[in-house]
């Protein structure tokens, strides 16, 4: 009896999570659109006082 209840409970959890994971993207008007992946963050680059690229954290280097 316990195995049956456990199986039913686990199926209910998976059935409830499936629509959220597979939800398509919609625009403001409610139409289906293609989901765009989020752009990766650009790395911070720094330049030294002489105008050449340098490691961030060195004296005189400023992020651009």
């Amino acid at each position: 009896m316990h195995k049956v209840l456990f199986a039913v409970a686990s199926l209910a959890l998976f059935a409830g999570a499936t629509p959220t994971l597979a939800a398509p993207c919609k625009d403001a008007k409610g139409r289906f659109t293609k989901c765009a992946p989020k752009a990766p963050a650009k790395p911070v680059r720094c330049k030294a006082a002489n105008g050449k690229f340098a490691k961030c954290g060195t004296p005189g280097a400023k992020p651009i």
Side-chain angles (χ1 to χ4, degrees):
M1 182 70 174
H2 293 291
K3 289 182 182 179
V4 173
L5 290 175
F6 180 73
V8 170
S10 64
L11 286 174
L13 287 174
F14 284 120
T18 303
T20 344
L21 297 174
C25 296
K26 292 185 178 182
D27 62 0
K29 294 182 180 180
R31 290 187 232 148
F32 295 109
T33 60
K34 204 172 198 180
C35 298
K38 294 183 180 179
K42 292 185 179 180
V44 177
R45 299 182 78 184
C46 296
K47 278 194 176 184
N50 61 0
K52 295 183 180 180
F53 288 104
K55 284 187 178 180
C56 294
T58 56
K62 294 183 180 180
I64 57 169

